[in-house]
Amino acid sequence: MSEQPAPTRRRPDATRWDIQGLRAFAVLAVVLYHLWPNRLPGGFVGVDVFFVISGFLITGHLLREQTATGRIALGQFWARRAKRLLPGAFLTLLATGAAVLALVPSTLWGQYGRELIASTVYAQNWQLASDSVDYLASDNRPSPFQHFWSLSVEEQFYIALPVLLVLLALALRRTRWHSPARAARVLLGAVVVVSLVWCVVETRTAPGIAYFSTATRAWEFALGGLAATVPLAAPGTDVARWVRVGGAWLGVVLLLTSLVVITPATAFPGIAALLPVAGATLVVLLGARSGLQAIGRVTPVAFLGRISYAVYLWHWPAVVLLPLVTGHPLGTRDKAAILVASLLVAAATTLLVEEPLRFSRWVRGLRPRRVALYGALSTVLVVALGASTLGALQVQQVQAAAFQRSLETGDVACFGAAARIGSADPCVDPRLADVRVPAPAAAAKDDANRDACWSDTTGAFNMCTIGPRKGYAKHLVVLGDSHSNALITAYEAIAKERHWRIDLSGHVGCYLTTAEQWSPSDAYTAACDTWKRSATAWLRTHTDVDALVVTHADTKSPVIVPPGSTNEETVVSGLVGAWRNATDNGVPVIAIRDNPVARGDVLTCLAGMRGPTTDACDTGRSDALAAFDGSEQAVAQIGDRARYIDLTDSYCTATTCPAVIGGVVVHRDETHLTATFATTLAPYLGADLERALASLSR
C-alpha cells in the first residue's frame, strides 16, 4: 500500500475581518447621515473611524517593513498608495466634473471648478478651511467634491508619516529608542497630545478650521497608529479573552453611542471626537480574536467593507447633483435610489476598475517613477477639466460685464430700483424684459464690500471715507454688518451727487447693540466686542458728525435672549442702549430697515430660467420680510433724535419680492444685495437720508 502524502495545512486566515466590518460600519454611517441626517445625527463620525483605521493599518505596514529591512522604501510605499487610491478617485472626479459642466447651472461653476482642482491635488480640506473663515464664501453651496476633504487629510498623512518615521529613526539610531516600534510610539504619542490639545482649542476659536485642518485631525490617525505599536494588537497574542472581547465590544458601544449623542450642533471635532475615535481604536486594537471577526466575515458586511472606498467616493456627488437636476429637494424615493445606485456603481468600480488595475501584472510591475508619471498625467487631465469650468465662467462674466456697462451708461429709464415696483405707478421698460444684470453666474461676486471698510476677526477697526474729506455739505458715519456694507456703491453715488462725506465701517456678523450676539466661536465674539468698543469710541471723538446711519441683518446676527425676556425685547433694548451712546453725545441716528431675503438658491434658479419670466425665483413678501431687525421699534423708543428709513417699496410689490427688478438681479446670495442693485438704490436712499437729516435739524 503506497504511502499517502501528508495533508497540506491551510494557512491561517490573517484577514482582519473585524476591520472590514468596521469599514462597512463607517461608510454606512456616513452615507445614511448624508441621506437621512435627522435619523442618524452623528453619522458623520464615520469619517473619524476611517482616520483611525488608516492610522492603524499604515503604521503597522510601515513598522513591519522597517523592522524587517531596516528601512522604509518611500517611493515604493507612495506608489502602492497611488495604485490603490488614484484610479477610483480620478474616475469619480472626471465623471463628476463632466456632470457639472453638463447639468449644473453656471452660477456654481466657479466654486465647483475650484473645488475640483483642490480635490485633484488633495488640498480640498484646506480649500474648505479657507472658505470657512472667508465671510464672503460663507454662502457657498455644498459641492459634489466636498467629501474629498477627508481623502485629502488621509493623503497628507500618507505623505508625512513615513517621512517622519524615517527622520526619527535616523535621529534615534544611536539611542536605546532605536527600535522602530519605540520610535513610532515617541512620534505618535507626541502627535496625539499636541494635535488633540490644538483640536480642542481650535474647535472653540475657529471651528471651521478645526473641522478640516490636518493639524487638528492628526491625533485621530496617530491614535490608530499607536494601537499598531502595541503587541496586544497582533492577532496571535495571548491576551485574556475577557480583555480582548470586553474591550472590543466596549469600542462598539462607544461607536454606536456616538451616532446618537453627537449631532451637527455638537462642537466638533474637539473633545467630542474622543468618543468615536476611542471606540474605533479599541476595535482595531482588540477585535482580532473577538466575535467581531465573525460579523465582519458575513458576506454582505465583508463586501460592503471591500467596496467602502468606492461607496464613499460615489454617493456624495449624487446627493448634491440630483436636486439640481430635478429642481426639488431629495425625497424618500430619491434617497433610496441614491443608496442603491451608489452601492451598484461602487461595486462596479471596485470589481472592474480598482482591483483589476491594482492587481494586474502590468500595474504591479510599474516602478515608482512610472507610477508618479502616470499619476501626474492623470492629475493634469482632471485639473484641466476643473480649469475649463473656470474658463467658461470667465467668458460669461466678461460678456455680462460688457453688457452691464452699456446698460448703466445708456438711457434706460427703469433700470433696477428705478422700476419702483412697490409704488402706485411702477416704471416699465420693455427693453429690460429679458435682461439679467449681472448675469447669474457673475452675480455671486458682485459685491460692493472692500477691505478698507471691513473689519474681520482680527479685532482691527477699519474705517474708510467716501466723498470729500474737506468742504463737505454733510458728514455721516455708517456702522453695521455686511448688509450695511452691501450699500457702499449707493453711498458712493450719494456722496458724489450731494458732496457729502460718509465714513463707513463694517464687521462680519456684528453691529451696534448692547445685547449679547451669537457667534460661531470665542474669537468672533472677542473681535465683535472690540469693534463695537472702537466704533463707540470713534463716535465720542468726532463731534462734527451729522448722523449715525445703521442697518443690520438679524437673520445673520441673532442675539442671545436672557431669561425672562423675548427675542424682540432683547433686540430692541440692545439697539436702544447702543444708539443712545451716540445720541447722548449729540449724534442723531438714522436706521435703515434691512433688505428682504431671497430664496437660498436664487442665483441657481435664475440661471435655469429661459425667457423673460423669472417669477419662479421670486420670494413671497411675507417670507422675504419675516426677519425681525427691531430698527423701527428702537427708533420709536429713541424719539426725536432718531429716524427710520424703509426701502421696501424698492424691493417688493404688495405680494412678492422679485429676484430681478428692472433688469437687475437683486441678491448675490440669500441675504446680500448685488452691488449693481445697491447702486440703483442711490437716488431713493439719498432722498430719504436728505429728508431725515432735514427733520432732525429742526
Side-chain angles (χ1 to χ4, degrees):
M1 189 172 185
S2 61
E3 187 176 290
Q4 296 292 326
T8 303
R9 286 190 177 183
R10 289 188 177 182
R11 297 180 61 183
D13 184 3
T15 303
R16 287 292 303 268
W17 294 107
D18 57 314
I19 292 181
Q20 202 75 321
L22 193 58
R23 284 195 179 107
F25 165 84
V27 76
L28 190 60
V30 171
V31 172
L32 292 180
Y33 168 73
H34 286 155
L35 293 174
W36 291 279
N38 294 330
R39 302 289 180 87
L40 197 69
F44 58 88
V45 303
V47 171
D48 303 81
V49 175
F50 277 124
F51 289 167
V52 173
I53 294 173
S54 294
F56 176 80
L57 294 177
I58 296 304
T59 302
H61 172 83
L62 292 171
L63 290 182
R64 286 191 294 274
E65 179 182 358
Q66 198 173 22
T67 301
T69 66
R71 59 189 292 271
I72 295 175
L74 295 177
Q76 292 181 9
F77 170 75
W78 290 327
R80 285 193 297 270
R81 290 288 85 203
K83 295 173 187 176
R84 167 69 179 90
L85 300 174
L86 294 189
F90 282 176
L91 178 62
T92 305
L93 289 171
L94 282 171
T96 307
V100 166
L101 284 173
L103 304 174
V104 172
S106 57
T107 49
L108 299 173
W109 287 0
Q111 176 197 346
Y112 287 5
R114 288 189 299 274
E115 293 195 25
L116 171 55
I117 293 173
S119 297
T120 305
V121 298
Y122 287 98
Q124 173 71 326
N125 62 315
W126 293 112
Q127 175 71 50
L128 294 176
S130 174
D131 287 347
S132 73
V133 297
D134 180 1
Y135 187 71
L136 302 182
S138 62
D139 290 288
N140 278 357
R141 291 173 60 94
S143 87
F145 310 105
Q146 188 168 305
H147 62 318
F148 269 79
W149 77 267
S150 64
L151 303 179
S152 299
V153 175
E154 287 206 28
E155 285 299 321
Q156 292 155 24
F157 168 75
Y158 296 152
I159 292 172
L161 178 64
V163 171
L164 291 175
L165 287 176
V166 168
L167 293 176
L168 190 61
L170 291 174
L172 300 177
R173 65 184 183 275
R174 299 184 185 279
T175 70
R176 65 188 181 92
W177 297 96
H178 180 56
S179 162
R182 288 181 177 178
R185 289 188 197 111
V186 172
L187 171 65
L188 296 171
V191 170
V192 168
V193 173
V194 174
S195 175
L196 178 56
V197 170
W198 185 241
C199 175
V200 173
V201 171
E202 283 285 89
T203 301
R204 287 180 55 85
T205 59
I209 293 179
Y211 195 87
F212 297 114
S213 170
T214 310
T216 55
R217 293 290 191 159
W219 68 274
E220 301 182 26
F221 294 95
L223 196 59
L226 272 178
T229 70
V230 178
L232 188 67
T237 305
D238 184 19
V239 180
R241 178 174 175 79
W242 69 268
V243 173
R244 185 179 293 278
V245 174
W249 283 103
L250 174 61
V252 172
V253 171
L254 294 179
L255 289 171
L256 294 175
T257 302
S258 67
L259 296 180
V260 180
V261 173
I262 296 174
T263 72
T266 304
F268 200 86
I271 201 71
L274 275 171
L275 191 61
V277 171
T281 302
L282 285 172
V283 171
V284 298
L285 179 65
L286 302 170
R289 293 174 61 188
S290 69
L292 298 180
Q293 281 283 83
I295 295 176
R297 194 181 282 111
V298 174
T299 301
V301 176
F303 188 70
L304 180 57
R306 179 181 175 184
I307 66 172
S308 58
Y309 175 60
V311 172
Y312 184 81
L313 287 174
W314 286 110
H315 85 282
W316 180 248
V319 170
V320 174
L321 295 179
L322 186 58
L324 292 174
V325 174
T326 61
H328 60 73
L330 293 176
T332 302
R333 290 183 179 179
D334 298 323
K335 294 176 180 180
I338 288 175
L339 179 59
V340 173
S342 298
L343 294 173
L344 293 176
V345 175
T349 302
T350 302
L351 300 178
L352 303 179
V353 178
E354 289 180 13
E355 292 182 352
L357 281 175
R358 180 183 173 194
F359 298 119
S360 71
R361 290 184 178 180
W362 177 74
V363 171
R364 296 179 71 175
L366 289 177
R367 295 187 175 184
R369 289 183 181 179
R370 191 58 64 94
V371 173
L373 174 62
Y374 290 146
L377 291 175
S378 300
T379 301
V380 169
L381 176 63
V382 183
V383 167
L385 180 62
S388 69
T389 65
L390 297 177
L393 179 63
Q394 187 65 31
V395 170
Q396 285 191 1
Q397 290 177 339
V398 169
Q399 293 172 343
F403 180 57
Q404 180 175 342
R405 286 192 296 270
S406 67
L407 280 173
E408 291 174 341
T409 58
D411 181 20
V412 182
C414 307
F415 190 62
R420 306 304 289 160
I421 60 171
S423 65
D425 186 22
C427 177
V428 178
D429 188 334
R431 293 173 295 176
L432 298 176
D434 291 322
V435 174
R436 286 157 205 167
V437 174
K445 300 299 181 184
D446 190 30
D447 181 15
N449 210 348
R450 59 204 63 172
D451 291 342
C453 314
W454 188 242
S455 303
D456 56 22
T457 56
T458 61
F461 180 73
N462 294 329
M463 175 80 77
C464 63
T465 298
I466 299 169
R469 293 180 178 271
K470 296 181 180 180
Y472 40 80
K474 295 289 184 182
H475 183 192
L476 306 181
V477 59
V478 178
L479 298 172
D481 57 14
S482 58
H483 284 217
S484 175
N485 276 33
L487 295 169
I488 285 179
T489 53
Y491 291 127
E492 286 178 328
I494 292 169
K496 181 178 180 180
E497 179 183 354
R498 290 172 165 78
H499 205 66
W500 290 357
R501 170 179 172 175
I502 302 177
D503 292 320
L504 188 145
S505 179
H507 190 284
V508 51
C510 187
Y511 58 91
L512 291 182
T513 178
T514 57
E516 183 181 358
Q517 291 179 253
W518 179 90
S519 66
S521 70
D522 294 343
Y524 272 74
T525 300
C528 179
D529 290 343
T530 299
W531 180 84
K532 285 188 280 192
R533 287 193 298 269
S534 299
T536 303
W538 190 96
L539 286 169
R540 283 197 298 265
T541 58
H542 290 74
T543 59
D544 66 333
V545 175
D546 292 291
L548 164 64
V549 180
V550 291
T551 189
H552 69 275
D554 184 60
T555 54
K556 287 288 184 182
S557 310
V559 297
I560 297 175
V561 180
S565 183
T566 66
N567 179 72
E568 289 76 10
E569 292 171 345
T570 305
V571 169
V572 174
S573 64
L575 295 176
V576 171
W579 295 354
R580 279 188 172 147
N581 289 326
T583 57
D584 291 347
N585 199 43
V587 178
V589 173
I590 301 175
I592 303 172
R593 179 175 181 163
D594 186 27
N595 59 262
V597 301
R599 50 186 285 174
D601 63 344
V602 60
L603 296 183
T604 303
C605 179
L606 288 174
M609 292 289 103
R610 298 293 180 266
T613 302
T614 59
D615 295 353
C617 305
D618 297 346
T619 306
R621 181 183 175 111
S622 58
D623 292 333
L625 299 172
F628 178 81
D629 70 8
S631 297
E632 184 175 14
Q633 293 78 2
V635 165
Q637 290 193 26
I638 294 287
D640 291 341
R641 301 301 293 160
R643 295 292 183 269
Y644 181 65
I645 292 176
D646 187 349
L647 295 171
T648 299
D649 284 348
S650 294
Y651 302 111
C652 304
T653 68
T655 57
T656 63
C657 298
V660 178
I661 298 174
V664 178
V665 176
V666 178
H667 290 85
R668 62 179 175 84
D669 56 37
E670 183 179 2
T671 67
H672 295 91
L673 300 178
T674 62
T676 304
F677 189 80
T679 303
T680 68
L681 286 170
Y684 316 105
L685 177 58
D688 286 345
L689 288 170
E690 188 107 55
R691 284 190 290 270
L693 289 168
S695 67
L696 286 167
S697 63
R698 289 198 293 268

